[in-house]
Amino acid sequence: MSSRAPGPFDRGHTDELMSFLAASPSPYHAVANVGARLEKAGFRQVRETDAWDGTAGGRYVVRGGAVIAWYVPQGAAAHTPFRIVGAHTDSPNLRVKPLPDTGSAGWRQVAVEIYGGTLLNTWLDRDLGLAGRLSLRDGSERLVDVDRALLRVPQLAVHLDRSVNTEGLKLDKQRHMQPIWGLGDDVREGDLIRFLAEEAGLPAGEITGWDLMVHPVEAPSYLGRDRELLAGPRMDNLLSVHAGTAALAAVAGDAAEPSYIPVLAAFDHEENGSQSDTGAEGPLLGSVLERSVFARGGTYEDRARAFAGTVCLSSDTGHAVHPNYPERHDPTHHPRANGGPILKVNVNQRYATDGSGRAVFAAACERAGVPWQTFVSNNAMPCGTTIGPITAARHGIQTVDIGVAILSMHSARELCGADDPYLLANALTAFLAE
């Protein structure tokens, strides 16, 4: 596909993605925004603690920072297989510690942990906000988002580190990454939570727990002479979450004679191994799919038949060829921005794609009229992984790893082609609609 300015329809999808990124500074906000989009498409939220019925229609389940949504068409049998778009809601960042109030040398600071494989230098000298969820004394939760310049991790001046430009920046995760948020010699325990309680309109004594994280406040934006690039935070992997949500909403209600039940599975904690009750290695997806089968009067035999015919597209970002470091990439596989979604392959099963999975993805792209590319790691470089192999191994379902090629992966601000999110969404729609 040529590098060109997107047409109005392409740009409309990317505009929506930019709004979604800005409104989703934490997995909890992302899940809430997915739910709101699905509600507009006629889906309804169901609780895991309630009994489920097997009637036709769209439903979704929220657990923490994860959401599973599915649409049961009219006439779906108990053994009807699923078509799943898998993604994750979390991104590498800085997360607030249980005792957050700290400081030194007259500066008041917030104590943070490093979450995931963060590019630490990208968080320096950047205006940062704070967002996440507050757990209240009565068992309820409240989302909070301070989306303004509240925090900053200041870099050491070059005068005090003369070798920084010749020997490289060396950051200690504990000593060098604690953000500043004010002045004062006295560290007052509970000060940050009192501030957030005021921001959320709550009595400070009502907050008994929190899951809070730092985010850059700079808005997503188009970039380049022809505005053909998109720069923004958390595209790994909210870009896929947004595309999957759009695809599921688009196919809901369309299937007259359903071959598959379309599903969106957006997990938390992919960036640190997926081992949680809301991660891909947890039981959430399997539980939801099984309950959907049983709610339609199915047996274990129906469940086995449904899973055997199920296919999952694990959609996550991958690496575009970096123009300043081309030697780090495979010499014969060169994914380009605005070249369409990528098929991710690794024979050591860091990605779950095989030849038959390639055929499924190629067929979906062909139906959608979407170009696609292939990504393979340089043999001399370690390969990352995704929820794909976990999903395949845990549930015994065919899984294919795909995504969008980006630069600056795991940076506080990433970069992709402005056409690619739209092309991915169209491929996912064709996959779910078969």
Side-chain angles (χ1 to χ4, degrees), residues 7 13 40 43 99 181 187-189 205 207 236 313 322 328 332:
H13 177 88
K40 289 181 179 179
F43 286 69
L99 299 176
W181 77 305
V187 175
R188 292 169 287 191
E189 185 177 350
I207 299 174
D236 179 11
L313 290 189
H322 197 300
R328 304 296 180 96
T332 58

Side-chain angles (χ1 to χ4, degrees), residues 185-364:
D185 290 310
D186 57 326
V187 175
R188 292 169 287 191
E189 185 177 350
D191 200 19
L192 180 67
I193 299 307
R194 282 190 292 271
F195 165 75
L196 291 174
E198 184 176 324
E199 288 286 314
L202 295 167
E206 291 300 305
I207 299 174
T208 55
W210 51 87
D211 299 280
L212 300 167
M213 56 207 71
V214 170
H215 67 274
V217 299
E218 184 181 2
S221 64
Y222 291 105
L223 184 145
R225 184 194 66 181
D226 298 321
R227 291 162 54 87
E228 60 192 346
L229 300 172
L230 173 65
R234 301 177 294 279
M235 286 196 282
D236 179 11
N237 186 33
L238 294 187
L239 187 158
S240 294
V241 173
H242 177 262
T245 303
L248 182 60
V251 304
D254 283 349
E257 297 181 5
S259 300
Y260 300 95
I261 293 171
V263 179
L264 170 68
F267 301 100
D268 200 355
H269 300 133
E270 190 272 348
E271 297 294 357
N272 61 10
S274 296
Q275 293 181 322
S276 70
D277 68 323
T278 54
E281 198 164 339
L284 182 58
L285 176 61
S287 173
V288 168
L289 299 184
E290 288 178 347
R291 291 185 67 178
S292 175
V293 170
F294 299 150
R296 283 175 279 125
T299 62
Y300 183 82
E301 179 73 9
D302 293 312
R303 180 261 188 215
R305 292 174 66 188
F307 277 44
T310 292
V311 183
C312 173
L313 290 189
S314 165
S315 182
D316 203 345
T317 55
H319 302 294
V321 176
H322 197 300
N324 298 337
Y325 303 90
E327 73 281 358
R328 304 296 180 96
H329 301 270
D330 184 83
T332 58
H333 296 77
H334 293 158
R336 301 170 67 99
N338 287 338
I342 56 174
L343 178 75
K344 301 160 76 172
V345 179
N346 179 265
V347 295
N348 293 304
Q349 293 300 294
R350 300 293 286 174
Y351 303 130
T353 305
D354 61 11
S356 63
R358 173 192 172 103
V360 171
F361 178 64

